[in-house]
């Protein structure tokens, strides 16, 4: 347990254009070209885009036809999720050399609490620099990092010098730095909320800080305390390492509310990949899959399906998740968020009694 006077040192590491960068690493002919991971067919969707593609406005969840219209020279590459998961395991093995307190967020990003300074490196800044150098040396890929005294600021900071850079937010600059940023960059403020804040005269962290708590409670309900805290650079959430969990889930808030079936399904598949990467790495398999949908009006629904035996392959989780999301499509209103969760885990020892389950994983 940290003493009250101890300043926590948190690093957020985020791989640069992860899926696309892996493809460019493995195929030299793709380097320097605009690359989209996904399917270029008429109903295809971009799963990830290289930085060269992003300069044309190509981004994840964009329909392939729109992406090609924006960038006629765009090269589509089919996703290889098994490769991305393997590289992610390499990266997380590097993290483990620096901290026991590691909180993975997805295949390509994680928080590390390095307050204990396991390797005796002078500063958290130099620790982050060494981690990034090792990632480059061992995987051939670049990463960006943010260093700060809490998770909220570390995550904001990692995006500040992308790609292949790092940025630190120190305790004496945190509050003032947050005031200068647009609220649309804040974790937990999606496009719809950012638009609502703008209507209320809130466009920057400084604007948000100026609003009293009772004002935020009237307009944002249970989220008010979070907005009130982050406007002051405050976030007391600890970095939670892996532990016994009852479920594993991932969700994303889209940059713009979606109505097209293909775009919504692409978002679900990204979450499937995150969740399956966690399950496979830890050999933790659940019997229940749940898809969460939040609409533009913030109404939320879930659809679940349980099986008599655990879901033990990526294909199984993908198929059941697509079935669940398709049960609510076409959407009667725009969708702002989707999530996928696996629950009702079976222990590794219990699952091992049925070896055919693991054959499905490795096949």
């Amino acid at each position: 347990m940290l003493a009250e006077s101890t300043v926590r040192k948190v690093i957020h590491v985020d791989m640069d254009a992860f899926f696309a960068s892996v493809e460019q690493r493995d195929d030299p002919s793709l380097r320097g070209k605009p690359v989209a991971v996904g399917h270029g067919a008429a109903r295809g969707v971009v799963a990830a885009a290289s930085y060269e593609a992003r300069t044309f406005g190509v981004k994840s969840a964009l329909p392939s036809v729109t992406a090609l219209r924006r960038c006629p020279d765009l090269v589509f590459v089919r996703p290889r999720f098994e490769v991305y998961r393997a590289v992610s395991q390499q990266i997380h093995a590097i993290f483990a050399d620096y901290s026991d307190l590691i909180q993975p967020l997805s295949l390509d990003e994680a928080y590390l609490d390095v307050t204990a300074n396991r390797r005796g490196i002078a500063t958290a800044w130099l620790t982050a620099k060494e981690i990034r150098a090792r990632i480059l040396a061992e995987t051939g890929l670049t990463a960006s990092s943010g260093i700060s005294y809490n998770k909220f600021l570390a995550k904001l900071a990692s995006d500040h010098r992308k790609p292949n850079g790092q940025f630190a937010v120190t305790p004496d600059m945190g509050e003032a730095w947050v005031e200068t940023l647009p609220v649309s960059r804040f974790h937990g403020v999606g496009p719809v909320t950012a638009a609502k804040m703008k209507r209320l005269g809130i466009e920057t962290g400084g604007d948000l800080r100026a609003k009293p708590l009772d004002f935020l409670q009237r307009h944002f309900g249970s989220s008010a305390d979070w907005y009130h805290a982050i406007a002051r650079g405050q976030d007391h959430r600890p970095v939670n390492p892996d532990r016994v969990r009852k479920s594993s889930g991932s969700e994303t808030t889209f940059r713009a509310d979606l109505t097209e079936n293909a775009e919504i399904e692409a978002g679900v598949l990204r979450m499937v990949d995150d969740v399956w990467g966690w399950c496979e790495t830890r050999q933790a398999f659940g019997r229940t899959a749940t898809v969460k949908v939040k609409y533009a009006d913030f109404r939320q629904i879930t659809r679940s399906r349980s099986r008599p035996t655990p879901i033990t392959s990526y294909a199984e989780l993908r198929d059941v998740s697509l079935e669940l999301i398709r049960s609510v499509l076409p959407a009667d209103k725009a969708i702002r968020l989707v999530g996928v969760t696996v629950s009702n885990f079976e222990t590794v020892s219990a699952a091992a009694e049925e070896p055919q389950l693991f054959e499905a994983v490795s096949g």
Side-chain angles (χ1 to χ4, degrees):
M1 191 77 174
L2 289 176
E4 287 297 320
S5 60
T6 301
V7 176
R8 185 177 280 115
K9 298 177 182 179
V10 179
I11 299 172
H12 178 259
V13 181
D14 192 6
M15 299 301 295
D16 297 323
F18 184 50
F19 293 176
S21 294
V22 170
E23 298 302 335
Q24 290 177 316
R25 178 198 70 176
D26 293 349
D27 183 353
S29 71
L30 297 175
R31 295 173 190 171
K33 294 181 180 179
V35 173
V37 176
H39 302 279
R43 289 183 57 79
V45 176
V46 174
S50 68
Y51 282 101
E52 294 88 350
R54 294 180 189 185
T55 62
F56 293 89
V58 176
K59 55 188 179 181
S60 61
L62 192 70
S64 299
V65 291
T66 305
L68 284 167
R69 190 160 53 244
R70 293 182 180 180
C71 180
D73 294 327
L74 187 64
V75 180
F76 273 90
V77 180
R78 288 183 176 275
R80 299 180 298 154
F81 292 118
E82 72 285 354
V83 176
Y84 310 146
R85 286 192 290 272
V87 176
S88 179
Q89 289 172 9
Q90 283 183 273
I91 294 164
H92 284 272
I94 294 171
F95 295 160
D97 285 342
Y98 296 85
S99 178
D100 292 323
L101 299 177
I102 303 166
Q103 183 179 341
L105 300 180
S106 62
L107 291 180
D108 60 347
E109 62 175 318
Y111 292 112
L112 290 77
D113 187 325
V114 297
T115 312
N117 194 9
R118 174 192 286 182
R119 296 175 70 93
I121 300 174
T123 63
W125 174 271
L126 291 175
T127 301
K129 192 172 182 178
E130 183 172 307
I131 289 171
R132 291 176 49 239
R134 282 191 58 188
I135 290 173
L136 179 60
E138 296 180 29
T139 72
L141 302 170
T142 63
S144 297
S145 64
I147 306 99
S148 196
Y149 54 96
N150 63 46
K151 294 200 295 187
F152 171 73
L153 291 173
K155 187 171 174 67
L156 274 178
S158 68
D159 195 45
H160 204 62
R161 290 286 185 266
K162 266 189 166 291
N164 195 25
Q166 64 182 55
F167 186 75
V169 180
T170 59
D172 60 348
M173 66 179 281
E175 291 186 41
W177 187 65
V178 167
E179 288 186 356
T180 67
L181 301 178
V183 293
S184 58
R185 286 185 53 188
F186 292 0
H187 178 61
V189 178
V192 173
T193 301
K196 179 178 180 179
M197 286 185 174
K198 185 174 182 178
R199 292 194 298 271
L200 294 170
I202 303 170
E203 296 190 58
T204 68
D207 296 334
L208 184 59
R209 179 169 180 160
K211 299 297 183 184
L213 182 58
D214 61 348
F215 174 91
L216 298 177
Q217 289 170 335
R218 285 199 308 274
H219 292 283
F220 301 103
S222 60
S223 298
D225 287 341
W226 171 248
Y227 297 148
H228 187 265
I230 62 176
R232 291 157 176 77
Q234 299 171 3
D235 177 9
H236 302 296
R237 298 172 301 159
V239 173
N240 291 319
D242 293 341
R243 60 190 182 214
V244 176
R245 292 165 63 170
K246 296 181 179 179
S247 65
S248 175
S250 186
E251 61 184 41
T252 185
T253 300
F254 300 119
R255 291 186 180 276
D257 297 337
L258 302 183
T259 57
E260 295 295 325
N261 291 3
E263 294 179 329
I264 296 163
E265 290 180 13
V268 168
L269 289 176
R270 289 295 297 267
M271 299 305 96
V272 167
D273 187 59
D274 285 349
V275 173
W276 179 250
W278 186 93
C279 293
E280 187 178 45
T281 299
R282 290 144 187 91
Q283 292 291 286
F285 306 114
R287 295 188 297 104
T288 301
T290 301
V291 167
K292 171 183 174 182
V293 174
K294 185 180 289 185
Y295 294 99
D297 61 2
F298 288 83
R299 182 171 66 93
Q300 181 175 301
I301 63 170
T302 58
R303 295 290 183 268
S304 297
R305 182 164 300 163
S306 295
R307 296 188 171 188
T309 57
I311 298 168
T312 57
S313 74
Y314 173 82
E316 284 183 272
L317 182 57
R318 175 198 63 204
D319 291 348
V320 70
S321 299
L322 286 176
E323 288 175 12
L324 291 170
I325 190 62
R326 286 168 180 168
S327 72
V328 301
L329 297 178
D332 57 359
K333 56 176 63 70
I335 290 176
R336 74 184 305 266
L337 174 150
V338 295
V340 173
T341 300
V342 173
S343 57
N344 288 331
F345 287 147
E346 296 217 351
T347 62
V348 173
S349 58
E353 295 173 2
E354 302 185 45
Q356 70 274 17
L357 299 183
F358 288 94
E359 290 171 11
V361 173
S362 60

